[in-house]
Amino acid sequence: MSKKTYRQAINEALAQEMRRDPTVIFMGEDNVGGMGAPGEDDAWGGVLGVTKGLMPEFGRERCLDTPISESAFIGAAVGAAATGLRPVAELMFVDFMGVCFDQIFNQAAKFRYMFGGKAVTPVVIRTMYGAGFRAASQHSQCLYPLFTHIPGLKVVMPSSPYEAKGLLTQAIRDDDPVIFFEHKVLYDDEEEVPDDPYTLPFGEANLTREGDDVAIVTLGRMVKLSNEVADKLEGDGISCTVVDLRTTSPLDEDTIIECAEETGRVVVVDEANPRCSMATDISALITQNAFGALKSPIKMVTAPHTPPPFAPELEDIYIPTPAKIEAAVREVVAYSREVVA
Amino acid sequence: MSKKTYRQAINEALAQEMRRDPTVIFMGEDNVGGMGAPGEDDAWGGVLGVTKGLMPEFGRERCLDTPISESAFIGAAVGAAATGLRPVAELMFVDFMGVCFDQIFNQAAKFRYMFGGKAVTPVVIRTMYGAGFRAASQHSQCLYPLFTHIPGLKVVMPSSPYEAKGLLTQAIRDDDPVIFFEHKVLYDDEEEVPDDPYTLPFGEANLTREGDDVAIVTLGRMVKLSNEVADKLEGDGISCTVVDLRTTSPLDEDTIIECAEETGRVVVVDEANPRCSMATDISALITQNAFGALKSPIKMVTAPHTPPPFAPELEDIYIPTPAKIEAAVREVVAYSREVVA
Amino acid sequence: MMSPSGMQLPREELVRAYRMMCDIRHFEDSVHDEFAAGSIPGFVHLYAGEEASAVGFMMHLNDADRIASTHRGHGHCIAKGCDVKAMMKEIYGRADGLCGGKGGSMHIADLTKGMMGANGIVGGGPPLICGAALSAKTLKTGGVAVAFVGDGGSNQGTTLESYNLAKVWNLPAIFVVEDNRYAESTASAWSVGGSQLKRAEGFGMPGRKVDGHDFFDVYDAAAEAIGRARNGEGPSLVHVETYRYYGHFEGDAITYRTPEEEEQMKTQKDCLKIFSQRVTETGLLDASALEEVEAESRSLIEQAVAEAKAAPAPGPDKLLTDVYVSY
Amino acid sequence: MMSPSGMQLPREELVRAYRMMCDIRHFEDSVHDEFAAGSIPGFVHLYAGEEASAVGFMMHLNDADRIASTHRGHGHCIAKGCDVKAMMKEIYGRADGLCGGKGGSMHIADLTKGMMGANGIVGGGPPLICGAALSAKTLKTGGVAVAFVGDGGSNQGTTLESYNLAKVWNLPAIFVVEDNRYAESTASAWSVGGSQLKRAEGFGMPGRKVDGHDFFDVYDAAAEAIGRARNGEGPSLVHVETYRYYGHFEGDAITYRTPEEEEQMKTQKDCLKIFSQRVTETGLLDASALEEVEAESRSLIEQAVAEAKAAPAPGPDKLLTDVYVSY
Ligand SMILES: Cc1ncc(C[n+]2csc(CCOP(=O)(O)OP(=O)(O)O)c2C)c(N)n1
Ligand SMILES: Cc1ncc(C[n+]2csc(CCOP(=O)(O)OP(=O)(O)O)c2C)c(N)n1
Ligand SMILES: [Mg+2]
Ligand SMILES: [Mg+2]
């Protein structure tokens, strides 16, 4: 056990799985870095240094740089997964999915079903998401709802270093195609993380706080913000459960429904754009399955229906803030329902 | 006024707008057909004959066939729209979005916002969606939730020939990027359609039935099935409103909320896969805004979380059926809520 | 290193090649008739006329080698050794079809045979083949991977990117452009800027053009390209000139090409006829041997159709299975 | 038809070219310093070192001609005539920046100047340029459209498809591959299979390679390609060999190339120095004229920075506007 950053946790999970299983390889643009260049051989480790140091240990055969051709190399990872390797491919920013989505949603996601259960495609696509870097409209999106919509994909949203290591280890060992979402603002976050390999299960949400009044259902970076709000409100006598979904596909429906039933009041916090989002997904799930227990409307806190703006002043109000989460929680607590029966 | 099929209605809207406005052009694979081939010049009119007959009137300059290069030609339509034309491009099946999505969601959808309101991108992308043709996993998807999620796109879901003509005319005249979803099973449906051009507004849902007991909120081909169910249940004393959304983006939130408030019981019928879908979107909207009026859970009738299967026996139970819609309506009518207050 | 020519193949190998071509032809002719009779659902694209291309390549491959096919996949499937009866059942959507009836004609696959699937997405296969070739290279299986792509598919960005990736990674991959002159209704003479061979050069790969109606020409080019890949010398492109006998899909009225052209191709460039002529004229096989193969093939396909018709559909419980390995 | 060479340009045109190159250089040097000082947010990619490429092309274009740029867009923007002060404000995220502060460095654009945007997506521009060229052709404006793409971007499928589409549609389009040896940390010597010129040939386009450090070489190649497009003779590709002085983005430690290489390029291949040498040696301009241009340019950029620093941020109400033309 030692303090590790989110970046280190991911790097360590990768290294340990590569040690354990010689069929694990990784690839991506500048993922090693410096391919064909006069400078250092292991210069970058990916654009934010996440895979730095792996190439010297595992060599160029298992650590592949790629040309800028996402369809070809993400597709190659998919094809390699269907033929005996367990590739971890990096889609640098999830915003780039538009040039390679076919290989993900029509190929990887559907092989098993289309081929009558006879395919196994253990590919992991690591990708960066989220706002907060002043990276503007094409480098700040969330987009996990698009992947969650697609049957056949598993979608993983680690909220902290501990979560990242355990979930990535599971992702690499999992036999289905997994999209692994790393929040760019979390890379330098630090916490205690076991040194040995461990897995965290898919489809089992994690309660980071338990309370009686309101359930905050959330994911990814928003877990941290929601915990802050829960801690603050505890002082004001409002006791919150915080549900970290961990994976949006599979989704831990039971835990969500239970928490909704126990509290009767729910706020969903989702960094993505609001339409056809995880916020609506969770809300609709609860309304269909726990309606009788609801004491108030389910409030959604999300980004607005706009692309991410560049100007810091705009981006700061684009992202859901603790203040907005708090307001939503207070609102559902204050709600008192007229009886309609 | 005369009987027209959905196919004819679309063809007529295109022809009339091309007559009215010389900057309207159209393009797509085999959209004229026979390019470079020894046979007829206007052979196909697209793979299901929708644009047949336009080339002889408007010529090859305004009716363009394309190589199979969706990124290049959908992107060309986007670029042309930003520089003075009003292109209507055909993405043959929406299932092919994966090879060209970037040009749609990162370029067309974001120009206006990224460029500070200075861009106008009047492109229409016509595309085919939906199951029922035994066309299997990669030619039967709905996928409109993915487009609805993206700010900057307008998403249009015509449910009948009359709707198709009016909505396509509006789409072509609209200054924003529009994704126009044609259901392949509806092409031969017929109804009375005015001969003169007319538009139907975006963001205004259409009530195809009005009733007191339940609101069925739906779109596209599912409107037809929902109307059938409403007619049948009328005989059994259950009176339904059927809301045809017409456009999912913009969404007519007011009408949806009103109908939910008036009936207190809602069923959402959505042909797409269930996760992060229009079904969840509508349900969440109502739960956030009309909670106090709800007398029962909001039930969702959707395809399951699987790719579309090939075998007819499986496809028939994959698509939401009138029987499933009816069962959901009966269930919400029968629901009686324990009072929690 | 010169690879041995197809004309030097032993008798039983020539019989095997002819048998595969016959199986494909009969399979496709039967599917054509059955579709017309209304007993087969969906979008069906037939390979009749192009048999020499699939077979010329597949003669060099074993189960450890992989191929990715296109929407027009039956021929590749048969030549790669997939069970013909299970294939027919798949096309009928039956429970014990090759894919349990869930895939159908456009998604027919058998990974155990190295057949990574027909593909409903034009250009879907080449990236996957880079992956299969990477597996072969990384796991040192000695295998190669072959992507079939149409003339239309040769313009898709996914295909073009794959050329470069295969070159840059020095993969044991072969790209076979089956140019049957049309992509749906669009002529390749119009849609392909430049040429297939110059494109190969553009990405630093050797390229070779062959008469796809002549099994032996295909066989020899395939030997060269596959040999290069097996030797670690990287990817190649083969441009196969061929022709499809039926419409783009079943139901196509074929308005874009002339009956004269079809007639001419079928009478003068039929790959089965050319094969028989070559082997009988040179005395490699005699006519009666060919007839025997023909007859066996025909009866197998008849049986396949009869069994497929009689086979049960998948039960409703199959709708929700096979989305994930673990739930 | 021979186009007149850049060496025959009138004095005021030479001054204009030099002025644009200076503006770009000073702009980028200032942004570099300001970024290092922490006053500019986000991902910023600088064009210093590559000025002759943008300017050599843009000298031939007017406002009706369109260009699409890359993530490294400031230079193209300045050369295409965008307001330099509004650009600087945009990069600072100010309310009256060129895009109201909503786009920033990676999405800087001015459609009224025919500048269709920097682009955060590698390979995003070429399809758009096919569209702009189609507009010019259909509306018969006489305009042309130019896509700038990096060596890295030359491997993107969207780029390669666009080559073919432009050829097949016979569009007035020019594809400029700015090969600055690296895509982030990856060398083009490794990532580009084949060669840019052979790829052009592969798609049936004329191609030409130029020394991107020599304004006159670029200018002449641009004249040829643009002239061809204006004459209805279809697309061309120009391979520009160039070098970026700063890191891939601001903050890059540049571990992948050697200080010696950088030093050599900056001292021996600087496009500003080469330009001054050429024009002074041949007597086209004298040193004092160049110094005057330099000084004017420097002071403009200083003003631009000062004004950008003082300018107000967009108000919170701007968050929700400009998503649609009509709501
Ligand atoms: C990405 C994509 N675009 C378009 C289609 C529709 N489509 C299916 S087959 C086809 C023509 C393919 O032509 P070619 O590659 O020459 O193969 P052929 O049919 O001639 O064997 C088209 C356009 C598709 N399936 N996928
Ligand atoms: C589709 C896509 N993939 C990857 C990236 C990340 N990225 C941004 S710039 C860049 C390198 C581009 O290299 P090149 O095209 O040579 O242009 P240069 O930076 O050298 O000017 C990469 C990989 C991106 N923005 N978009
Ligand atoms: Mg073809
Ligand atoms: Mg570069």
Side-chain angles (χ1 to χ4, degrees):
Chain A
M1 200 82 150
S2 62
K3 286 233 175 207
K4 297 183 178 97
T5 63
Y6 194 76
R7 177 185 285 105
Q8 286 164 337
I10 291 166
N11 184 290
E12 188 169 278
L14 252 171
Q16 290 177 339
E17 289 311 292
M18 290 183 81
R19 262 170 230 141
R20 206 181 62 86
D21 180 350
T23 67
V24 177
I25 63 166
F26 80 79
M27 63 176 74
E29 290 153 11
D30 308 280
N31 233 289
V32 176
M35 194 71 190
E40 264 177 48
D41 238 4
D42 187 28
W44 276 39
V47 77
L48 295 189
V50 179
T51 56
K52 206 165 165 53
L54 296 179
M55 197 276 285
E57 178 172 356
F58 302 105
R60 283 260 180 225
E61 277 208 7
R62 293 176 66 196
C63 305
L64 289 98
D65 275 350
T66 73
I68 307 178
S69 314
E70 283 84 357
S71 277
F73 83 76
I74 296 283
V78 171
T83 55
L85 293 176
R86 302 185 84 85
V88 180
E90 179 178 292
L91 178 62
M92 195 184 292
F93 290 77
V94 71
D95 311 69
F96 308 160
M97 64 166 282
V99 296
C100 61
F101 195 38
D102 185 71
Q103 292 291 327
I104 301 172
F105 96 100
N106 271 330
Q107 313 295 338
K110 293 186 173 58
F111 280 170
R112 191 164 177 81
Y113 196 79
M114 294 192 303
F115 301 165
K118 291 174 189 161
V120 180
T121 312
V123 65
V124 179
I125 299 172
R126 291 178 45 239
T127 191
M128 241 190 298
Y129 78 104
F133 251 49
R134 287 64 171 106
S137 290
Q138 293 174 342
H139 286 71
S140 308
Q141 298 171 86
C142 286
L143 302 180
Y144 43 81
L146 307 188
F147 294 85
T148 305
H149 179 69
I150 302 295
L153 299 179
K154 290 179 174 172
V155 180
V156 183
M157 306 284 311
S159 60
S160 77
Y162 173 79
E163 295 286 316
K165 181 172 173 186
L167 289 168
L168 182 54
T169 304
Q170 174 58 34
I172 295 171
R173 296 183 190 177
D174 201 278
D175 279 333
D176 290 309
V178 176
I179 320 295
F180 189 85
F181 279 85
E182 302 171 11
H183 200 298
K184 56 178 84 70
V185 170
L186 294 179
Y187 280 122
D188 294 320
D189 274 27
E190 235 183 14
E191 71 182 350
E192 289 293 330
V193 176
D195 297 327
D196 286 337
Y198 60 94
T199 61
L200 292 173
F202 288 178
E204 291 187 23
N206 180 36
L207 306 191
T208 61
R209 297 287 184 280
E210 297 196 48
D212 303 321
D213 300 325
V214 179
I216 306 178
V217 184
T218 187
L219 72 176
R221 183 181 166 222
M222 293 296 116
V223 172
K224 190 175 162 185
L225 275 53
S226 299
N227 284 339
E228 277 172 43
V229 171
D231 291 347
K232 177 173 175 202
L233 288 174
E234 192 75 51
D236 293 6
I238 300 174
S239 133
C240 298
T241 291
V242 176
V243 183
D244 175 357
L245 294 177
R246 275 185 176 154
T247 57
T248 62
S249 187
L251 184 69
D252 185 353
E253 302 193 356
D254 292 346
T255 299
I256 296 165
I257 292 168
E258 259 166 47
C259 292
E261 280 170 346
E262 278 165 25
T263 58
R265 299 179 197 273
V266 179
V267 170
V268 193
V269 183
D270 179 359
E271 190 185 329
N273 291 121
R275 306 294 317 284
C276 299
S277 63
M278 278 314 296
T280 69
D281 190 287
I282 302 295
S283 171
L285 172 77
I286 294 170
T287 305
Q288 182 163 289
N289 295 286
F291 180 73
L294 285 181
K295 298 178 203 154
S296 80
I298 299 173
K299 295 288 297 179
M300 299 181 282
V301 182
T302 68
H305 186 65
T306 81
F310 167 62
E313 294 78 2
L314 296 182
E315 193 184 30
D316 287 343
I317 56 173
Y318 177 84
I319 305 168
T321 53
K324 280 186 200 152
I325 301 170
E326 182 182 333
V329 172
R330 290 191 184 275
E331 203 180 319
V332 300
V333 169
Y335 183 90
S336 152
R337 192 174 195 287
E338 300 159 49
V339 180
V340 274
Chain B
M1 200 80 152
S2 62
K3 286 232 176 208
K4 295 181 180 98
T5 62
Y6 193 77
R7 177 186 284 104
Q8 287 164 338
I10 291 165
N11 184 290
E12 188 168 279
L14 253 171
Q16 289 177 341
E17 288 310 292
M18 290 183 80
R19 263 170 230 142
R20 204 181 63 86
D21 180 349
T23 66
V24 177
I25 62 166
F26 79 80
M27 64 176 73
E29 290 153 10
D30 309 281
N31 233 289
V32 176
M35 195 69 190
E40 265 178 51
D41 238 4
D42 186 27
W44 277 38
V47 76
L48 294 189
V50 178
T51 55
K52 206 165 164 56
L54 296 179
M55 197 278 284
E57 179 173 356
F58 302 105
R60 283 260 179 227
E61 279 209 6
R62 294 177 65 196
C63 305
L64 291 97
D65 275 350
T66 73
I68 307 177
S69 314
E70 283 85 358
S71 278
F73 83 76
I74 296 283
V78 172
T83 54
L85 293 176
R86 303 186 83 85
V88 180
E90 180 178 292
L91 178 61
M92 196 184 289
F93 290 78
V94 71
D95 310 69
F96 308 161
M97 64 166 281
V99 296
C100 62
F101 194 39
D102 185 71
Q103 292 292 326
I104 300 172
F105 96 101
N106 270 331
Q107 313 295 338
K110 294 187 172 58
F111 281 170
R112 191 165 177 79
Y113 195 79
M114 294 191 304
F115 300 165
K118 291 175 188 160
V120 179
T121 311
V123 64
V124 178
I125 298 172
R126 292 178 43 240
T127 191
M128 243 190 296
Y129 79 103
F133 251 49
R134 286 65 172 106
S137 291
Q138 293 173 344
H139 285 72
S140 307
Q141 297 170 87
C142 287
L143 302 181
Y144 44 81
L146 308 188
F147 295 86
T148 304
H149 179 69
I150 302 295
L153 299 179
K154 290 179 174 171
V155 180
V156 183
M157 306 284 311
S159 60
S160 76
Y162 173 78
E163 295 287 314
K165 181 172 172 186
L167 289 169
L168 182 54
T169 304
Q170 174 58 34
I172 296 171
R173 296 184 190 177
D174 201 278
D175 278 334
D176 290 308
V178 176
I179 319 295
F180 189 85
F181 278 85
E182 302 171 11
H183 199 298
K184 55 177 86 68
V185 170
L186 293 180
Y187 279 122
D188 294 320
D189 275 27
E190 234 183 15
E191 72 182 349
E192 290 293 329
V193 175
D195 298 327
D196 286 337
Y198 61 94
T199 61
L200 292 173
F202 287 177
E204 290 188 23
N206 180 36
L207 305 191
T208 61
R209 297 286 185 280
E210 297 197 49
D212 303 320
D213 300 325
V214 179
I216 306 177
V217 184
T218 186
L219 72 174
R221 182 180 168 223
M222 293 295 116
V223 173
K224 191 176 162 186
L225 274 55
S226 300
N227 283 338
E228 276 172 44
V229 170
D231 291 346
K232 178 176 174 202
L233 289 174
E234 192 75 52
D236 292 5
I238 300 174
S239 135
C240 298
T241 290
V242 176
V243 182
D244 175 356
L245 294 177
R246 275 186 176 152
T247 57
T248 62
S249 186
L251 185 69
D252 185 353
E253 302 193 355
D254 293 346
T255 298
I256 296 166
I257 293 167
E258 260 166 46
C259 292
E261 280 170 345
E262 279 165 25
T263 57
R265 299 179 197 271
V266 179
V267 170
V268 192
V269 183
D270 180 358
E271 190 184 329
N273 290 121
R275 306 293 318 284
C276 299
S277 64
M278 279 313 297
T280 68
D281 190 288
I282 302 295
S283 172
L285 172 77
I286 294 171
T287 305
Q288 182 162 291
N289 295 287
F291 180 73
L294 286 181
K295 298 176 202 157
S296 80
I298 299 174
K299 295 289 295 180
M300 300 180 283
V301 183
T302 69
H305 186 64
T306 81
F310 167 62
E313 294 78 2
L314 296 182
E315 193 183 31
D316 287 343
I317 56 173
Y318 177 85
I319 305 168
T321 54
K324 281 185 200 152
I325 301 170
E326 181 181 334
V329 172
R330 289 189 184 277
E331 203 180 318
V332 299
V333 169
Y335 183 91
S336 153
R337 191 174 196 287
E338 299 159 51
V339 180
V340 273
Chain C
M1 184 201 68
M2 279 291 292
S3 334
S5 149
M7 294 301 285
Q8 293 162 270
L9 277 171
R11 196 191 133 83
E12 59 281 12
E13 284 293 283
L14 289 172
V15 167
R16 187 164 76 90
Y18 190 65
R19 174 58 192 267
M20 285 198 278
M21 296 205 287
C22 288
D23 282 354
I24 298 172
R25 178 67 56 88
H26 293 140
F27 192 95
E28 298 298 59
D29 286 350
S30 298
V31 171
H32 176 77
D33 294 343
E34 292 298 318
F35 188 95
S39 53
I40 293 176
F43 289 140
V44 177
H45 308 82
L46 301 180
Y47 194 72
E50 310 190 24
E51 293 84 354
S53 177
V55 176
F57 276 89
M58 253 60 97
M59 287 294 290
H60 301 281
L61 304 183
N62 56 53
D63 286 0
D65 297 317
R66 266 92 181 203
I67 67 160
S69 177
T70 68
H71 54 288
R72 199 174 300 289
H74 306 168
H76 303 131
C77 225
I78 292 175
K80 195 70 178 65
C82 297
D83 183 86
V84 169
K85 289 184 174 178
M87 281 180 60
M88 190 64 84
K89 284 186 189 142
E90 187 57 33
I91 289 165
Y92 274 81
R94 302 311 194 200
D96 49 357
L98 203 53
C99 303
K102 285 175 163 175
S105 168
M106 257 193 298
H107 305 302
I108 201 157
D110 187 347
L111 295 168
T112 63
K113 296 284 177 189
M115 160 63 188
M116 295 178 71
N119 211 308
I121 304 300
V122 170
L128 300 172
I129 272 317
C130 288
L134 180 65
S135 281
K137 184 178 175 180
T138 308
L139 299 171
K140 303 187 175 36
T141 66
V144 302
V146 184
F148 291 90
V149 64
D151 47 283
S154 77
N155 296 319
Q156 187 67 280
T158 54
T159 304
L160 299 166
E161 282 187 5
S162 298
Y163 293 171
N164 189 54
L165 186 66
K167 169 66 186 178
V168 163
W169 277 356
N170 192 39
L171 295 176
I174 297 96
F175 301 98
V176 183
V177 180
E178 297 187 317
D179 179 358
N180 57 13
R181 303 197 190 177
Y182 302 94
E184 298 197 340
S185 71
T186 302
S188 60
W190 176 81
S191 75
V192 179
S195 79
Q196 304 296 346
L197 294 191
K198 290 211 166 130
R199 290 182 184 186
E201 225 184 305
F203 292 98
M205 276 190 289
R208 179 165 161 184
K209 185 159 161 177
V210 300
D211 177 357
H213 308 284
D214 179 357
F215 165 82
F216 296 99
D217 202 14
V218 177
Y219 182 93
D220 292 356
E224 187 189 346
I226 292 168
R228 199 179 285 131
R230 286 209 204 280
N231 286 337
E233 294 163 43
S236 311
L237 181 148
V238 182
H239 177 180
V240 179
E241 294 190 300
T242 181
Y243 200 75
R244 66 167 148 77
Y245 284 1
Y246 294 114
H248 168 65
F249 48 38
E250 291 311 280
D252 175 4
I254 324 191
T255 44
Y256 45 85
R257 64 186 196 192
T258 62
E260 296 72 40
E261 177 183 294
E262 290 188 16
E263 192 49 30
Q264 195 218 345
M265 295 306 291
K266 288 181 190 170
T267 51
Q268 288 165 42
K269 296 293 273 179
D270 184 73
C271 62
L272 286 166
K273 283 189 204 145
I274 292 175
F275 183 95
S276 349
Q277 273 166 14
R278 296 277 300 265
V279 293
T280 49
E281 278 167 20
T282 53
L284 292 168
L285 291 177
D286 59 27
S288 69
L290 294 175
E291 270 158 38
E292 200 180 306
V293 168
E294 263 267 326
E296 276 172 29
S297 170
R298 191 178 300 276
S299 104
L300 172 71
I301 302 298
E302 272 164 20
Q303 273 174 50
V305 171
E307 286 177 27
K309 280 186 169 168
D317 56 307
K318 289 293 185 292
L319 178 65
L320 302 181
T321 59
D322 302 328
V323 183
Y324 297 97
V325 177
S326 63
Y327 283 82
Chain D
M1 187 200 66
M2 281 291 292
S3 334
S5 149
M7 294 300 286
Q8 293 163 268
L9 278 172
R11 198 192 131 84
E12 61 279 12
E13 285 293 284
L14 289 173
V15 168
R16 188 164 76 91
Y18 190 65
R19 174 60 192 264
M20 286 198 277
M21 296 204 289
C22 289
D23 282 353
I24 297 171
R25 178 67 56 88
H26 293 141
F27 192 95
E28 299 298 60
D29 286 349
S30 299
V31 171
H32 176 77
D33 294 343
E34 292 297 318
F35 188 95
S39 53
I40 291 177
F43 289 141
V44 178
H45 309 81
L46 301 181
Y47 194 72
E50 311 190 24
E51 294 84 353
S53 178
V55 176
F57 276 90
M58 253 59 99
M59 287 293 290
H60 300 281
L61 304 182
N62 56 53
D63 286 359
D65 297 317
R66 266 94 180 203
I67 66 160
S69 177
T70 67
H71 54 288
R72 199 173 302 287
H74 306 168
H76 303 130
C77 225
I78 292 176
K80 196 68 179 67
C82 297
D83 183 86
V84 168
K85 291 185 173 178
M87 281 180 60
M88 191 62 84
K89 285 186 189 143
E90 186 58 33
I91 289 165
Y92 273 83
R94 302 312 192 202
D96 50 356
L98 203 52
C99 304
K102 285 175 162 176
S105 168
M106 258 194 297
H107 306 301
I108 201 158
D110 186 348
L111 294 168
T112 63
K113 296 284 177 191
M115 161 62 189
M116 296 177 71
N119 210 308
I121 303 300
V122 170
L128 299 172
I129 271 318
C130 289
L134 180 65
S135 281
K137 185 178 175 180
T138 308
L139 300 171
K140 303 185 174 36
T141 65
V144 302
V146 183
F148 292 90
V149 64
D151 47 284
S154 78
N155 296 319
Q156 188 65 282
T158 55
T159 303
L160 300 166
E161 283 187 3
S162 299
Y163 294 170
N164 188 54
L165 186 66
K167 168 66 186 179
V168 163
W169 279 356
N170 193 40
L171 295 176
I174 297 96
F175 300 98
V176 182
V177 180
E178 295 186 318
D179 179 358
N180 58 12
R181 301 195 190 176
Y182 302 94
E184 298 195 343
S185 71
T186 303
S188 60
W190 176 81
S191 74
V192 179
S195 79
Q196 305 296 347
L197 294 190
K198 290 211 167 129
R199 289 182 184 186
E201 224 183 306
F203 292 99
M205 274 189 292
R208 181 167 160 183
K209 185 160 161 177
V210 300
D211 177 356
H213 308 283
D214 179 357
F215 165 83
F216 296 100
D217 202 14
V218 177
Y219 181 93
D220 292 356
E224 187 189 347
I226 292 169
R228 200 179 285 130
R230 286 208 204 280
N231 286 336
E233 293 162 43
S236 312
L237 181 147
V238 182
H239 178 181
V240 179
E241 293 190 301
T242 182
Y243 200 75
R244 65 167 151 75
Y245 284 179
Y246 294 113
H248 169 65
F249 47 39
E250 290 312 280
D252 175 5
I254 323 191
T255 45
Y256 45 85
R257 64 185 196 193
T258 62
E260 295 73 39
E261 178 183 294
E262 290 187 17
E263 192 49 30
Q264 193 216 347
M265 295 306 291
K266 287 180 192 174
T267 52
Q268 288 165 42
K269 297 291 272 178
D270 184 73
C271 61
L272 286 167
K273 284 190 205 144
I274 293 176
F275 183 96
S276 349
Q277 274 167 12
R278 296 277 300 263
V279 293
T280 49
E281 278 167 22
T282 52
L284 292 168
L285 292 177
D286 58 28
S288 69
L290 294 175
E291 271 157 37
E292 199 180 307
V293 168
E294 265 267 328
E296 277 172 27
S297 171
R298 193 178 300 274
S299 105
L300 172 71
I301 303 298
E302 273 165 19
Q303 274 175 47
V305 170
E307 287 178 26
K309 281 186 169 167
D317 55 306
K318 289 294 185 291
L319 178 65
L320 302 180
T321 59
D322 302 328
V323 183
Y324 298 98
V325 177
S326 63
Y327 283 81

